[in-house]
Amino acid sequence: MRFLIAIVLLFRIPLAADDARPVLDTAHSPKAVLHGVPVSAVTLGEGFWAPRRKVNVEVSLPTLLELFEQKGILDNFRRISGKKDVARRGPLFTDSDVYKWLEAIAFTLQSGPQPKLRAAAEAVIDDIVGAQEASGYLNTYYSRENLAERHQNMRGGHELYCLGHMLQAGIAWQRATGERKLLDSGIRMVEYLLRNFGPDKKPIFTGHPEFELALVELYRTTADRRYLDFAGYLLGGDPRNHIAPRDLTYLFSGRPFYTRTRLEGHAVRAMYASSGAADYYLETGDERYFRTLETLWQDMVRRKMYLTGGVGSRASGEAFGEPYELPNQQAYTESCAAIGNIFWDWRMLQATAAAPYMDVLERALYNGANSGLSLGGNLYCYRNPLELVGNPEDKIRNPWYDTTCCPPNLQRLLGSLPGYFYSTSKDGLYVHLYHNSELRWRLEDGSRLQVAQSTRYPWEGAVELRVEPAKPREFTLFLRIPAWARKAEISVNGAPVSGVTAGAYFPLRRTWKPADRVLLRLDVTPRLTAANPRVRENLGKVAVERGPLVYCMEGIDQPAGVAMFDWTIDAAGKFESEWRADLLGGIMLLRHKGTAAAAPSATEPLYRLFTPAEAGKSGALTLIPYYTFANREPTPMQVWIPYR
Ligand code: FUB
Ligand code: ZN
C-alpha cells in the first residue's frame, strides 16, 4: 500500500480543477506541432525566477489590489451593480486591468494554494459579475452616463479589448479552480455580441486587438465553432466598417490580417493581433495567415526589435518606427509590447517547433519584459529604454500609471511562467527553458514522465536533467540550444554526444530509463554584440551579453570623476564575471577595464576641426544585467557602449 501511495505521489498528475490544461491549449489544434504543458505540471525551484515569482505573489498582486481600491477601479463595477454610489474613475479600459490581475492570480493558483489571494479574487469576481446587464453586456465605461457611446467608438473604445481580457481571465480561473462564474459571465457578453454583430448583422471591429486571441482560446475551451468563426470575421475585417487607411495601419485591425506586409502602428496592438492571427492559423490551417505571420515576424527581428526583445520605438502613438529606427534613450518599448512579443513567439513555436521563436521569446522574457518589474515588486516600467540620462525627475519605475496596463500584464506573465518550459510532440518532449525545476507530466502516448533540472542558469551554463519515465520508453528529448551559445556540449549518462549546434533543438532519441542523466553545457562567456550599421545610433558601439542576459552600465557603479557616457569599452579586453549575492537581488556582474575619453572642458566648442580622439585614463568598469536597471538611486544607464 505504501508503495502504491509513493508511486501515486511520485507520478502525480495534476487533476484538480481543470488545471491539466496549459496556458495555450493546443491539444486539438490541427496545426500545432507542439502541445503545452500546464503551469501546475512544472514546479520551479530556487534560482533566477524564484524571487521574481515570490515578489509577484507577496508584493505585486496584493499592492495592485490596494491600488485598484484606492483609484476606484473596482468601484467602477460596484457602481453599476448599485453597491456603491460613486463616480466612474480612470480611463475607459480600466476593466481590462482587473481582468489581467485576475488571470495572474489564476495562474499563480496553478502553482499552489494562495488562500488570501484567492478569496480577494473571488470577491472581485462577484463584483464584476454583479455589474452584468440581463442582456449579457458588461463594461463599466459604456454604461450609465456613457450609455450613448456604447458601440460608437470602435477605434479607441476598447469594448472588445476589455472583453478579451475578461475571457482570458475566466478561462484561466476555470482551469485553476474549476469555477466557471467569470467564464460564464464572459460567454454571456460574447453571446450578446454574436446576437448583434457579425457578417450578417451589424459590422464591428476590435480597434485594439486582443478579443481575437481570447475568442480562439474560448473555442478551444468550449469547442463552440462560432467563437473561432467570429475571430476569423474580426481578423478578416468587415468591409462595411469604413475605416480610414491611417487608422487601419495604426490600429492593426479592421483590414484582412493576411494582407499585411510589415509591422507598423501601435506596437501592443500589432503584437496582440499577430498572436490572435497565429491562434487562428493553429486552428484553421489557413496558410494566408501563416505566410503573413512569417513575413511580419521577420520584419520584427530583422529590422524593428531591440536587443532586449522590446518593440515599439516611438512614444508618439506607442508605435513601431521605420526599419532600423531604434533609438536608445527615446525607446518606448512598452512592457506590454515585449510581453505581446512573447505571446506571439509562443504561438509560432507551437506551429513550427522552430528554435528561433524560442530564442526571441527568451530574449524578451529575460530582458525587455523582466525589466518591467522592480526587484521589490511594487514599481513598474511602462517604457523600458536602453539608455537613461539619470535625471531624478525621469521616474522610469512607478507604482501606478493612469494607463496601468503593464503591471498586471507582467504579473500574469510571471504567474504563467512554468507553462513556458516544456512542450510535448508526437515524438517526445521539448525543453525550452532552463531553471531548477521539476516536471511531472506525460508523453503524448500517455506514459508518465518526470524531468528534474538542476542548474544555476542563466548565471552558469551547466544544466543537469534527470529523466524519469515511469517505465523505459523510446522517445526524443529535444533540448533547446540557444542561438547565443558559441559552444554547447551534451552528454547522456556520461557519454558525449556529437553534432550539437546552436540555434536549434537537439534531438536525443533513445529508450529512456528511470534515472537517465543528461548534461548540457552552454558557454555563457560574456560576448560583445554589434548592431546592424543601419541602426545609426549604435554606430561605434557594442552591447555586452552573457547567456540570455543583456547587460548595461549604470553610472553609480563606475569610477568617480568621469561621466558614464565618456567611458569606452576595450573591444579586445576581458569581461570577468563576479557573483554578487548582496547586489540587486543576487547577480553575476561583469568587470572590465575600460578607457575614458578625454573629458571636454567647460569651454570646449560644440564643433571643431576633427582630430583622432585621444585616449584618457583607464578605469575599472562594472556592468549589471539590464533587467536590474534603475533599482537604486537615479543614475545614467546605457546598453550600447562606445568601444575602442
Ligand atoms: O490601450 C490599452 C493599453 O494601454 C495598450 O495596450 C497600451 O499600449 C496602452 O496604450
Ligand atoms: Zn502596457
Side-chain angles (χ1 to χ4, degrees), residues 334 336 405-406:
E334 183 182 339
C336 286
C405 49
C406 301

Side-chain angles (χ1 to χ4, degrees), residues 19-275:
D19 66 356
R21 303 186 88 160
V23 176
L24 195 75
D25 188 4
T26 56
H28 305 289
S29 309
K31 284 290 171 182
V33 182
L34 298 186
H35 306 111
V37 158
V39 172
S40 57
V42 180
T43 308
L44 296 188
E46 281 312 300
F48 187 87
W49 291 111
R52 307 295 281 151
R53 290 184 18 97
K54 186 167 187 273
V55 101
N56 190 35
V57 173
E58 292 178 359
V59 180
S60 315
L61 288 162
T63 50
L64 190 59
L65 176 65
E66 282 166 24
L67 285 160
F68 282 157
E69 288 291 9
Q70 272 174 36
K71 308 282 176 185
I73 307 304
L74 296 173
D75 281 351
N76 288 344
F77 291 98
R78 296 177 188 134
R79 71 191 284 269
I80 303 294
S81 60
K83 254 181 152 180
K84 279 216 170 158
D85 185 13
V86 288
R88 191 184 185 284
R89 289 169 67 190
L92 45 76
F93 41 74
T94 55
D95 296 0
S96 66
D97 301 325
V98 179
Y99 299 141
K100 273 189 271 184
W101 174 84
L102 281 170
E103 193 186 354
I105 295 181
F107 287 134
T108 301
L109 294 181
Q110 292 179 40
S111 289
Q114 296 290 343
K116 268 175 96 175
L117 276 179
R118 180 171 177 162
E122 278 167 351
V124 169
I125 291 174
D126 286 344
D127 281 333
I128 292 168
V129 177
Q132 188 156 36
E133 295 177 10
S135 67
Y137 189 87
L138 175 48
N139 184 299
T140 66
Y141 181 83
Y142 299 96
S143 300
R144 298 262 196 109
E145 65 281 6
N146 299 321
L147 193 60
E149 289 181 44
R150 194 175 282 185
H151 307 311
Q152 299 308 305
N153 177 10
M154 291 292 158
R155 289 170 177 75
H158 290 72
E159 272 170 298
L160 303 190
Y161 167 86
C162 288
L163 175 57
H165 281 304
M166 180 183 188
L167 291 173
Q168 287 187 310
I171 291 167
W173 191 261
Q174 188 264 335
R175 287 179 187 171
T177 66
E179 288 169 15
R180 295 186 55 101
K181 193 173 187 177
L182 185 62
L183 175 59
D184 285 340
S185 172
I187 291 175
R188 284 197 292 279
M189 170 81 167
V190 176
E191 292 296 336
Y192 158 86
L193 286 170
L194 293 188
R195 282 197 303 277
N196 292 286
F197 299 93
D200 50 350
K201 302 183 181 102
K202 280 184 273 177
I204 198 167
F205 83 107
T206 47
H208 191 313
E210 155 63 25
F211 188 36
E212 299 86 336
L213 57 142
L215 272 173
V216 179
E217 200 62 25
L218 184 63
Y219 161 66
R220 293 182 182 132
T221 308
T222 59
D224 189 330
R225 175 91 201 183
R226 292 174 308 140
Y227 303 144
L228 178 65
D229 291 342
F230 203 63
Y233 161 72
L234 293 167
L235 287 160
D238 189 326
R240 295 172 299 163
N241 272 315
H242 303 303
I243 308 148
R246 204 181 141 270
D247 282 350
L248 287 174
T249 300
Y250 174 71
L251 301 172
F252 225 85
S253 59
R255 101 171 194 225
F257 181 88
Y258 47 79
T259 62
R260 297 202 173 257
T261 54
R262 59 194 179 128
L263 284 175
E264 56 197 349
H266 187 266
V268 180
R269 284 170 162 93
M271 293 297 104
Y272 286 9
S274 301
S275 301

Side-chain angles (χ1 to χ4, degrees), residues 340-400:
N341 183 359
I342 290 173
F343 293 161
W344 183 17
D345 301 330
W346 184 245
R347 285 156 173 80
M348 298 301 278
L349 181 74
Q350 306 309 300
T352 60
Y357 297 117
M358 199 61 210
D359 280 328
V360 173
L361 191 158
E362 186 186 56
R363 179 172 289 288
L365 174 66
Y366 274 92
N367 303 290
N370 194 19
S371 55
L373 179 67
S374 69
L375 298 175
N378 59 341
L379 301 174
Y380 306 87
C381 290
Y382 191 107
R383 294 178 53 225
N384 296 268
L386 281 80
E387 187 171 305
L388 281 177
V389 176
N391 292 331
E393 59 274 16
D394 287 349
K395 284 233 168 93
I396 198 75
R397 296 188 183 275
N398 296 283
W400 179 259

Side-chain angles (χ1 to χ4, degrees), residues 546 575-582 587-591:
R546 186 181 189 278
F575 290 82
E576 305 285 355
S577 305
E578 180 185 327
W579 174 249
R580 286 286 300 273
D582 58 325
I587 54 164
M588 193 71 80
L589 54 76
L590 299 179
R591 302 257 189 226

